[in-house]
Amino acid sequence: MIKSSFTRLENRILLKNRLYEKGFSVRFHSYEYYVIRNKFVSIILLEPNFNRVLIYKISWNPIESEIAVKEIYSIIKKIDPFVKIIVEENKEY
């Protein structure tokens, strides 16, 4: 099985820095990122051993979340063009 380049700490920090550069506030713990712009917009879960990233939209902030998820998707693909990205609606947050 192919592993994502997000197995490397440097790339996980690079993701955090790129999100900051795009105007997001980010809290992250290893492989989980909580992303805020004006309000909470997304949760990112990296699963590098499965070559997968899950991006959750925030259901109570749909417009801002939709815009943010498109930007996040693009940032992730620039860091690892081969990773599989799954975008889902998160109804719990």
Side-chain angles (χ1 to χ4, degrees), residues 18-74:
R18 295 273 170 87
L19 290 167
Y20 279 143
E21 290 168 6
K22 289 291 187 175
F24 295 104
S25 295
V26 180
R27 295 190 107 165
F28 88 106
H29 307 281
S30 285
Y31 299 94
E32 296 178 350
Y33 296 70
Y34 297 92
V35 185
I36 299 162
R37 184 151 276 152
N38 296 317
K39 295 180 182 175
F40 191 37
V41 292
S42 183
I43 298 170
I44 305 167
L45 300 175
L46 303 177
E47 297 181 326
N49 289 333
F50 300 107
N51 196 35
R52 179 173 59 204
V53 175
L54 304 172
I55 303 175
Y56 290 100
K57 297 180 196 176
I58 305 305
S59 61
W60 55 264
N61 189 9
I63 295 170
E64 194 175 9
S65 185
E66 183 71 34
I67 293 166
V69 165
K70 288 177 184 174
E71 289 181 68
I72 293 166
Y73 189 102
S74 176

